[in-house]
Amino acid sequence: MRKFLKGRNLLLAMLLIVSAILAACGGSSSGDADDKEKSYKLKMSVTVSDSSTWYEAAKKLADDMDKETDGRIKIEVFTNEQLSGGDSGKAVEGLAKGSIDLTFNSTIIYSILDQRFGVTSAPFLLKDHSEVDKVFNGEGGEKLKGLLAEKGVQALGYGENGFRQITNSKREIKLPEDLNGLKIRIPGITMYTDLYRSLGTDPATMTFSEVFTALQQGTIDGQENPIDVIASSKLDEVQDYLTLWNYSYDPLVLGMNKKLYDSLSDADRELFDRLGKEAAAYQVKIAREKEASQIEDLKGKGMNVYTPTDAELEAFKKAVQPIYDKYTDIWGEDLLKAFTP
């Protein structure tokens, strides 16, 4: 009898051990639930300072994410490309490789990774904000999202650096011939170099931190940038003429490393999609509101502000046709068509 009881106790002990093991295995579902509640501390880089609309949007994303996850997902925002030593090109490379989690960068910078990104800034392709919204909310935005995914970046939304305008200290620019001989500072990408040479200028590339002094000393005659950059950099102090020709659109990508994005739970991916889109839309809204008042301020400070007529813009479009002859094959006809309103 004692042997029987001893054997039964041993059997019960073994059953308890097996039950514990099965319970642990069955606990994988609760483990999955834990995975869905995983905590993250992410780093986000923006190109410009904390006084910019870029930063305001990034901060909105960080604050909204913190609030909606009760602090489970934290995003720390770094301004002035601190995470990449001030180099925007290295920032997008870091984003693609995963050393940076999120960034707000211009597609001009992405063209370092692939020249096809230059299609978004093709000269005189998009006329105004209504055409911009049509393209980026439609096929163009989807094509761009696919191109970014190829490079390891998940597009959460599109912001706006704005239409690039031109300033100079010599004369009013109404027609292509008004640009002849002017030395204009441009972004350091090949498409813009070819573009400004086709317009008869002497294009110069330099870091933007050097531009004000170069304009002040007469080393260069002019530069081109969106209104926010022109106004916040006080270029009205060294430039007399501003032409609002909307010659090149400069979109921003609110991007996330794709491997990180794909590793998230379904619920967290949906959260990043929603809050990212909202943050980008917020940046566009406040950037456009700010631009209108900045133009009036520049006029008030004495800048000669000129808006070309439709006929004058047609003359510029004709003058830059060689750019399309050269770059259509580089961009791809389908991609260019998707960005043509």
Side-chain angles (χ1 to χ4, degrees), residues 3 64 92 113 142 151 161 169 211 251 279 302 304 331:
K3 287 183 179 180
D64 290 349
V92 295
L113 300 180
E142 286 302 310
K151 303 301 175 184
N161 196 21
S169 58
V211 170
N304 180 312
W331 297 328

Side-chain angles (χ1 to χ4, degrees), residues 113-220:
L113 300 180
D114 191 320
Q115 286 194 78
R116 288 179 293 172
F117 286 106
V119 72
T120 60
S121 298
F124 300 103
L125 183 63
L126 299 172
K127 182 175 66 174
D128 52 30
H129 288 141
S130 64
E131 291 191 349
V132 166
D133 294 341
K134 177 183 176 182
V135 164
F136 280 87
N137 291 328
E139 186 182 3
E142 286 302 310
K143 289 276 190 183
L144 182 56
K145 187 176 182 178
L147 186 55
L148 287 160
E150 288 179 25
K151 303 301 175 184
V153 175
Q154 179 70 29
L156 302 179
Y158 300 122
E160 179 172 285
N161 196 21
F163 281 101
R164 302 181 77 87
Q165 317 295 1
I166 191 167
T167 68
N168 82 101
S169 58
K170 298 293 185 182
R171 53 184 173 267
E172 196 169 56
I173 296 172
K174 294 183 176 182
L175 291 166
E177 49 263 37
D178 296 325
L179 286 162
N180 286 339
L182 293 181
K183 191 163 188 175
I184 305 293
R185 183 268 178 184
I186 59 169
I189 61 174
T190 306
M191 190 267 284
Y192 278 142
T193 300
D194 291 340
L195 170 61
Y196 274 84
R197 282 179 179 160
S198 73
L199 289 169
T201 75
D202 179 12
T205 59
M206 64 179 68
T207 59
F208 188 72
S209 60
E210 299 173 354
V211 170
F212 187 95
T213 301
L215 290 169
Q216 191 175 45
Q217 296 176 347
T219 307
I220 54 176

Side-chain angles (χ1 to χ4, degrees), residues 9 90 131 161 243 333:
N9 289 339
K90 288 182 180 178
E131 291 191 349
N161 196 21
T243 296
E333 288 190 10

Side-chain angles (χ1 to χ4, degrees), residues 47-48 52-54 104-109 121 129 132 158-165 187 192 224-230 232 248-253 283-284 287-288 291 294:
T47 302
V48 286
S52 67
T53 60
W54 305 27
F104 224 165
N105 281 107
S106 165
T107 52
I108 291 174
I109 306 303
S121 298
H129 288 141
V132 166
Y158 300 122
E160 179 172 285
N161 196 21
F163 281 101
R164 302 181 77 87
Q165 317 295 1
Y192 278 142
E224 56 73 64
N225 257 302
I227 290 296
D228 186 48
V229 176
I230 294 169
S232 62
S248 182
Y249 183 66
D250 193 356
L252 305 176
V253 174
Q283 188 276 331
V284 170
R288 291 180 184 179
E291 180 180 279
Q294 285 173 327

